[in-house]
Amino acid sequence: MTSSRQPPPAARTESTEPAAVEAEGLRKSYGTVRVLDGIGLRVERGTVFALLGPNGAGKTTTVRVLATLTTADAGTARVAGHDVVAERSLVRRAISLTGQYAAVDEKQTGEENLRMMGRLCGLSRPGARRRAAELLERFGLDHAGGRLVHTYSGGMRRRLDLAASLVGGPRVVFLDEPTTGLDPRSRRELWQVVRELTAGGTTVLLTTQYLEEADRLADRVALLDAGRIVAEGTAAELKAEVGGHRLDVVFADTAAYLRHASRTAVLRSPGTLTVGLPTDGSAAQVRALLDEIDPRRTDVARFALQTTTLDDVFLSLTGGGSRTGDGPTTAPPPGTDARPAHPTETAHA
């Protein structure tokens, strides 16, 4: 069952300064399928805001509405101080959007791609050349600027794609699952680029299925499920909301596991006969839980206390309750091509 829990009041940060992104009551349906069901969010300037959720949660649709590529059925949104409907052209001048696949021309060199984007953004030829050189150096691609893009690795293409999106100096950058399919080294390189962007005052709204990514990068995280934001706050606040720790109990046999699998849990693993229970981590509560579960000392084979992760937050607040089902993941193993369920349009607005 999907949780209808709303973010606690303490999780919201009020500010008198205009936000980089503001949305209220966004709704969007395709036929009888409601994709967004009253989305509201606020992203402060110069921060990283992560929209976290599984495929189909509404992350990409939210980004498309904010980036003026899709019109919401209801609700309002402002980006960089401009209404996304009434001032669409002003919004597009202030943003860039990078989707799940690199939108670069493989038959051109890296430098030619950036110079082309510079000319499209209205720069003079000398200006486009200077901007291309600056971005190639900034993204560690100056040694490969003269090479055709089809010779680039996946991580290099991703960096070039992001560099192209920054040619016009956007105030707000939308990154829609930018590390999909990247190996761990390339993923970490892109994380560093995002940190540098916000250090320079750029606002980043990031969508991701990777919990580690949100945990490491985001100043605030919104958990999106079935078109609704079910929780919002810092990573630490969200972890504290589900207990701060998790007690993993391994049962002695299948019968014992089945007797306890219906408990409110953040993890259920039939294969290992494990149930993960939220706890504050104190010795008193751990003892009480074990006594409640196994008063005769016959059902529990062993147990371990774990620190709560965003994975646990997701599974608890969306009612997933199993790591074997669909949902966010920490990161695919090296060599895995983690492709999304459907392609997403990539554009530099």
Side-chain angles (χ1 to χ4, degrees), residues 52 211 221 223 230-231 234-244 266 308-320 323:
L52 182 65
L211 293 134
V221 177
L223 179 57
V230 297
T234 65
E237 288 169 346
L238 295 181
K239 292 174 187 177
E241 187 175 349
V242 299
V266 294
T308 297
T309 67
L310 280 182
D311 201 347
D312 301 320
V313 173
F314 176 84
L315 293 170
S316 176
L317 299 187
T318 62
R323 292 188 188 278

